[in-house]
Amino acid sequence: MWARGRASADECPKSLVTPQSMEWLEKFFVWKFAGGGRLDELAARDAEAFMTLEKEWREASNGQ
């Protein structure tokens, strides 16, 4: 059990890396370095993952 203030969880709140998330990371880097095509041409779940990864990529790039 994890708790902080009034919030609690049954699992560790840290990110969980799954085979699917590793696949999205690999697809994202291929997509990104191939010029980043149109998101509306991707499956909805892939597009959502790519938008999340793009946001994280920009935040990490601005922090350096």
Side-chain angles (χ1 to χ4, degrees):
M1 177 69 128
W2 296 83
R4 182 177 211 155
R6 296 182 352 184
S8 66
D10 294 329
E11 295 180 14
C12 176
K14 293 185 179 185
S15 297
L16 179 66
V17 177
T18 65
Q20 179 64 56
S21 59
M22 291 302 298
E23 180 183 350
W24 276 320
L25 283 171
E26 291 172 1
K27 284 181 173 181
F28 173 74
F29 283 109
V30 169
W31 174 81
K32 181 89 173 153
F33 291 110
R38 295 177 40 178
L39 288 173
D40 62 349
E41 295 175 346
L42 300 173
R45 294 188 109 196
D46 289 344
E48 181 179 14
F50 285 17
M51 287 189 300
T52 300
L53 290 167
E54 181 68 27
K55 179 181 176 221
E56 294 298 323
W57 177 271
R58 287 183 184 180
E59 288 178 8
S61 296
N62 290 335
Q64 293 182 351

